[in-house]
């Protein structure tokens, strides 16, 4: 028995506070639906009082508090859901109305009833709060599958434009553990060749690190097929052709493209004609590039579309998004046993708390996170 119930007087006692008041004409609800609801609510309360050996009229405030607590704990609607706060409030109004009609003080206005209802509301708010939905990660195996389907599906120069851009988005975003806002704001002049090999890409570490390195390294990988610098270089060729000679230059580049059968990322990057131009841009159906930056929502949609085309189930596709690349890097690095501190240095995290939400980490030894990702 709850503390509320244990303090309730016996059902045969009639405390002074429950004596009839001077009768006043009751305020009868005008709407017929409200009258029916009040009648049903009162019948429900009366049955509960009968089964628990309590007095329904006049009812003690503690009885109503116990009624609410019992219903909130064990009662459910016909659909199996807990009764809503609005329903509980209406029950109290029905009980109050019946008491006023009989000439008694409305017990639902007592502070004990209000406190019980507030407690139930607080509990329902916390229990009904859903955990934030986490984006599903794309791992190396997923990227390899998606890239293979994307590249093999090219049928003309315009489709090659989209393939090169999307491949660069996927591999740059993954290897850099970039947020889609990083991809959206990336400018051609921001990306530089690193003296030790690979590319340096600027990032916005908003996780909390104020003294973190403003760039991340995208090293060359063993396979040219999944090499982020190679994917970026292939897309940069399209950008330079478009920014230099427009559509004719892109057609010359891609009408009979050079087979992609080896690394092309060695050596300095070609100097872009417009350093402030966005790296990733929308592509029209005819293969033409626009001058604006590819939005975060467009990156989100592209990832889902490419996964769907690769044969992924609709339920899985619905869990993917722009964060799948960053989440995939972290999950893959943890799965590979990369040193946690190397991952944090790469991603900009300042504690292991967030990393633990991706996969349990296994610290095996210091390593460069991007170099051991497995691409």
């Amino acid at each position: 028995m709850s503390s509320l119930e244990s303090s309730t007087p016996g059902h045969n006692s009639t405390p002074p506070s429950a004596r009839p008041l001077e009768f006043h004409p009751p305020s009868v609800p005008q709407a017929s639906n409200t009258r029916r609801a009040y009648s049903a609510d009162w019948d429900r309360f009366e049955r509960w009082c009968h089964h628990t050996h309590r007095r329904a009229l006049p009812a003690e405030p503690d009885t109503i508090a116990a009624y609410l607590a019992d219903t909130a704990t064990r009662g459910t609607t016909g659909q199996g859901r807990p009764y809503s706060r609005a329903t509980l409030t209406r029950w109290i109004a029905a009980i109050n109305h019946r008491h006023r009609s009989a000439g008694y003080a409305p017990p639902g206005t007592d502070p004990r009833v209000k406190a019980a209802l507030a407690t139930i509301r607080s509990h329902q708010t916390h229990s009904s709060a859903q955990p934030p939905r986490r984006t599903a990660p794309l791992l190396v195996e997923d990227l390899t599958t998606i890239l293979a389907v994307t590249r093999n599906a090219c049928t003309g120069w315009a489709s090659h434009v989209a393939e090169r851009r999307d491949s660069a988005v996927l591999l740059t975003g993954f290897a850099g553990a970039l947020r889609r806002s990083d991809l959206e704001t990336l400018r051609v002049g921001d990306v530089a060749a690193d003296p030790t090999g690979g590319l340096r890409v600027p990032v916005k570490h908003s996780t909390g690190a104020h003294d973190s390195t403003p760039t991340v390294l995208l090293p060359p990988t063993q396979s040219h097929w999944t090499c982020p610098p190679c994917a970026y270089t292939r897309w940069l060729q399209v950008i330079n052709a478009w920014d230099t000679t427009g559509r004719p230059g892109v057609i010359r580049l891609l009408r009979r493209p050079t087979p992609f059968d080896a690394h092309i990322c060695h050596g300095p990057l070609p100097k872009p004609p417009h350093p402030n131009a966005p790296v990733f841009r929308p592509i029209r159906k005819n293969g033409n590039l626009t001058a604006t930056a590819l939005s975060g929502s467009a990156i989100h949609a592209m990832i889902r579309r490419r996964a769907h085309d690769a044969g992924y189930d609709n339920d899985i596709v619905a869990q993917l998004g722009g964060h799948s690349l960053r989440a995939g890097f972290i999950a893959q690095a943890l799965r590979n046993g990369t040193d946690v501190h190397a991952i944090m240095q790469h991603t900009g995290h300042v504690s292991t708390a967030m990393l633990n939400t991706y996969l349990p980490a296994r610290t095996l030894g210091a390593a460069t996170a991007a170099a051991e990702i497995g691409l």
Side-chain angles (χ1 to χ4, degrees):
M1 180 179 294
S2 68
S3 58
L4 289 173
E5 294 177 282
S6 62
S7 62
T8 305
H11 68 282
N12 291 322
S13 60
T14 305
S17 60
R19 291 170 184 167
L21 303 174
E22 181 180 354
F23 180 78
H24 296 283
S27 55
V28 180
Q30 297 299 315
S32 59
N33 288 340
T34 302
R35 288 197 298 270
R36 286 194 295 269
Y38 275 16
S39 178
D41 294 342
W42 173 256
D43 290 343
R44 189 183 191 281
F45 174 66
E46 204 169 30
R47 288 195 301 271
W48 182 87
C49 289
H50 175 75
H51 290 303
T52 58
H53 306 290
R54 297 173 185 272
R55 185 181 56 250
L57 189 71
E60 279 291 310
D62 284 333
T63 297
I64 301 174
Y67 172 59
L68 296 175
D70 182 68
T71 301
T73 303
R74 298 187 298 175
T76 58
T77 66
Q79 291 75 34
R81 297 188 299 269
Y83 288 106
S84 68
R85 290 171 291 177
T87 298
L88 299 179
T89 302
R90 193 194 70 214
W91 289 352
I92 296 174
I95 295 171
N96 286 340
H97 171 71
R98 186 58 178 264
H99 278 71
R100 288 192 184 100
S101 299
Y104 294 100
T109 60
D110 189 276
R112 287 168 288 181
V113 177
K114 294 181 179 180
L117 184 60
T119 300
I120 294 169
R121 284 175 171 172
S122 176
H123 175 75
Q124 288 183 341
T125 298
H126 290 297
S127 63
S128 62
Q130 298 297 320
R133 182 177 179 180
R134 301 201 66 85
T135 305
L138 284 172
L139 303 180
V140 168
E141 182 180 1
D142 301 312
L143 290 176
T144 303
T145 300
I146 293 172
L147 289 171
V149 173
T150 300
R151 289 168 178 166
N152 292 334
C154 292
T155 57
W157 74 269
S159 61
H160 280 288
V161 173
E163 178 274 310
R164 291 197 181 199
R165 184 202 65 181
D166 294 352
S167 294
V169 169
L170 292 170
L171 290 172
T172 301
F174 179 85
L178 303 181
R179 299 174 178 84
R180 68 182 192 178
S181 60
D182 292 321
L183 296 168
E184 183 179 0
T185 58
L186 190 62
R187 303 292 165 176
V188 177
D190 294 338
V191 182
D194 188 80
T196 62
L199 302 175
R200 282 284 172 185
V201 179
V203 294
K204 299 181 181 68
H205 285 329
S206 61
T207 308
H210 300 289
D211 57 350
S212 58
T213 305
T215 63
V216 292
L217 174 65
L218 275 57
T221 55
Q222 184 174 2
S223 171
H224 68 278
W225 191 258
T226 56
C227 177
C230 282
Y232 179 82
T233 302
R234 293 175 73 240
W235 173 238
L236 185 61
Q237 293 172 350
V238 176
I239 293 176
N240 286 350
W242 177 266
D243 289 348
T244 303
T245 57
R247 180 183 175 91
V250 176
I251 293 177
R252 283 194 299 270
L253 174 69
L254 298 178
R255 178 168 286 172
R256 294 183 179 85
T258 303
F260 182 40
D261 52 11
H263 281 282
I264 61 171
C265 60
H266 302 300
L269 290 173
K271 186 176 181 180
H274 303 295
N276 291 326
V279 172
F280 300 115
R281 314 173 192 179
I283 302 170
R284 296 192 173 96
K285 291 183 179 180
N286 62 1
N288 289 350
L289 275 64
T290 70
T292 59
L294 191 66
S295 67
S297 61
I299 293 171
H300 173 94
M302 180 276 290
I303 292 173
R304 288 189 169 189
R305 183 176 66 255
R306 290 300 189 183
H308 178 269
D309 293 344
Y312 279 70
D313 183 85
N314 289 336
D315 291 339
I316 297 177
V317 172
Q319 300 175 46
L320 300 176
H323 193 67
S324 293
L325 302 176
R326 180 174 170 85
F329 176 92
I330 298 171
Q332 188 73 65
L334 291 172
R335 181 173 296 187
N336 293 357
T338 305
D339 178 65
V340 173
H341 294 92
I343 299 173
M344 292 169 58
Q345 183 179 15
H346 192 76
T347 62
H349 287 97
V350 294
S351 72
T352 60
M354 282 302 298
L355 296 185
N356 291 336
T357 66
Y358 294 94
L359 274 180
R362 294 184 296 113
T363 304
L364 300 182
T368 301
E372 294 202 349
I373 201 63
L375 289 174

